[in-house]
Amino acid sequence: MQELTNDYLEEAIEDSRPYAANGDVNMNIPEYDETIKDHLGVSIITTNGECYAAGDTTQYVPMQSTSKIIGLMVALQDFGKDRVFQTVGMEPMGDFFNSISQLESYDTSKPFNPMINAGAIAVAALIKGKDVETRFERYMNFLRKITNHDQLEISEEVYKSEKANGARNRSLAYFMQSTGTLVTNVEEALDLYYRMNSVMMRCEDFARVGLFLAKGDYNPESDERLIPAHHLRTVKAIIMSSGMYNSSGHYAVEAGFPCKSGVSGSIIGTIPGNMGVGIVGPAIDEKGNSTAGGALIKKLSQDLELNMFGLENTDGR
Ligand code: GLU
């Protein structure tokens, strides 16, 4: 097995970087342009506290869909599993992440899962608080604690852009209002969703979210218990089956550990009991996953033997 070192990660980055050519940068994100297309960075933090990093690790990018993990954790704390999954399903979906048709075609009462846009908006609608500011502050407090980074902030530019380009998400939300899935204020749920998407993080922050999921339910810096452990199990299972949009099955096979991507090219990976992985590689494929980041995830899985379903060379021969 390959030893995990910074030199190895540098090599893995250079092996994976050419895959950026197969993707495109999401130009709806302010500050994104062609010059960052082949940026690629990785941070890995082990449950023993060892930190490794390589590549372009200083770039702050919007959380985008990686925020769906955090929103789900906050809603699970607020309402528990049974109530949350009355509102949103837990099944993978083969359609694109912002699909409208699935809401009408399959089950008008709830979206497939919390990792697609409709599901995440429905989850955001659940998060407790007297107004959007309070609800978002609760989200940020939790995020700052699990990343041990109290400077994390929203980008107003990204937030404005999310709002300006939010027609599709508004359609999803109002459709869900019409079916009774969204029973709280629709515009507030959308506003919270846009804010959650717009929080800026770098590789290390993404890795710390993965580490929190891998390690457990306590604040990394204190003994404060942040969330019951069984909720983390639920979240990891949902990420495993639905975290990489409609390529989730592919990543379950090829990486074999839970990963969640965002259209900023961010990826959070979590290897239970072992490590958290944070990747930023802005060029994404048509499904929304970082092309170089996806190649890197698969390489790390193979070289570091991270596939939880067994290793390639242990096929029982
Ligand atoms: N912010 C975009 C949206 O809500 C993309 C989210 C994502 O999949 O990363 O449609």
Side-chain angles (χ1 to χ4, degrees):
M1 180 175 74
Q2 169 66 50
E3 191 193 347
L4 177 55
T5 62
N6 286 336
D7 284 347
Y8 159 70
L9 285 183
E10 289 291 352
E11 279 171 34
I13 287 270
E14 292 320 317
D15 274 8
S16 308
R17 199 190 294 277
Y19 289 86
N22 302 341
D24 290 301
V25 175
N26 184 336
M27 293 299 184
N28 284 339
I29 299 176
E31 297 154 25
Y32 267 28
D33 59 31
E34 285 298 313
T35 62
I36 58 161
K37 181 166 176 174
D38 65 351
H39 278 206
L40 184 62
V42 61
S43 169
I44 293 182
I45 308 174
T46 70
T47 50
N48 300 330
E50 293 158 17
C51 299
Y52 302 89
D56 312 301
T57 53
T58 54
Q59 174 99 31
Y60 278 81
V61 303
M63 292 188 79
Q64 295 292 352
S65 268
T66 60
S67 66
K68 293 176 165 92
I69 301 179
I70 314 298
L72 179 59
M73 285 195 266
V74 177
L76 284 168
Q77 276 172 285
D78 283 352
F79 287 100
K81 188 170 73 172
D82 290 349
R83 174 69 186 87
V84 168
F85 289 101
Q86 272 168 17
T87 299
V88 63
M90 50 172 77
E91 301 305 334
M93 183 185 76
D95 296 339
F96 285 95
F97 64 90
N98 54 5
S99 161
I100 295 182
S101 63
Q102 63 90 19
L103 283 175
E104 193 173 31
S105 309
Y106 297 95
D107 180 348
T108 52
S109 67
K110 54 186 177 183
F112 263 70
N113 67 67
M115 298 293 120
I116 56 172
N117 288 12
I121 295 165
V123 166
L126 289 177
I127 291 173
K128 285 183 181 168
K130 68 176 178 356
D131 50 28
V132 178
E133 282 72 28
T134 316
R135 296 160 80 192
F136 183 57
E137 207 42 44
R138 292 187 59 235
Y139 172 93
M140 288 304 293
N141 284 342
F142 182 72
L143 181 63
R144 288 180 183 131
K145 277 182 188 162
I146 69 174
T147 54
N148 189 29
H149 192 169
D150 59 12
Q151 306 295 318
L152 292 182
E153 285 299 347
I154 193 174
S155 156
E156 288 297 330
E157 292 304 302
V158 175
Y159 169 62
K160 278 186 208 148
S161 161
E162 290 296 311
K163 261 186 153 165
N165 296 301
R168 182 72 162 237
N169 288 324
R170 273 201 286 283
S171 310
L172 292 169
Y174 280 99
F175 188 90
M176 289 191 289
Q177 184 190 43
S178 78
T179 57
T181 305
L182 269 194
V183 289
T184 57
N185 186 297
V186 178
E187 286 299 329
E188 283 195 8
L190 282 163
D191 195 31
L192 182 57
Y193 173 81
Y194 298 142
R195 292 184 198 214
M196 285 161 39
N197 273 249
S198 308
V199 175
M200 303 299 279
M201 303 220 298
R202 57 197 164 138
C203 286
E204 181 183 331
D205 305 312
F206 291 113
R208 287 200 182 275
V209 175
L211 177 67
F212 179 71
L213 287 164
K215 196 173 172 182
D217 44 347
Y218 285 85
N219 184 333
E221 292 306 299
S222 68
D223 268 352
E224 181 191 8
R225 188 164 205 203
L226 294 176
I227 180 171
H230 61 92
H231 287 332
L232 298 184
R233 189 182 65 180
T234 300
V235 172
K236 281 179 275 194
I238 296 287
I239 303 172
M240 185 81 199
S241 53
S242 301
M244 299 295 278
Y245 307 115
N246 41 345
S247 289
S248 299
H250 173 81
Y251 281 93
V253 171
E254 301 298 341
F257 57 84
C259 298
K260 178 73 200 97
S261 60
V263 297
S264 50
S266 47
I267 301 178
I268 291 170
T270 181
I271 296 93
N274 191 350
M275 61 177 69
V277 180
I279 291 176
V280 172
I284 55 171
D285 64 19
E286 69 284 354
K287 293 183 177 169
N289 295 314
S290 170
T291 51
L296 180 57
I297 280 279
K298 290 182 242 178
K299 180 168 176 57
L300 294 174
S301 172
Q302 198 153 32
D303 293 350
L304 303 173
E305 301 187 350
L306 302 176
N307 192 320
M308 61 173 61
F309 301 113
L311 308 172
E312 211 153 73
N313 298 326
T314 55
D315 57 5
R317 270 178 298 170

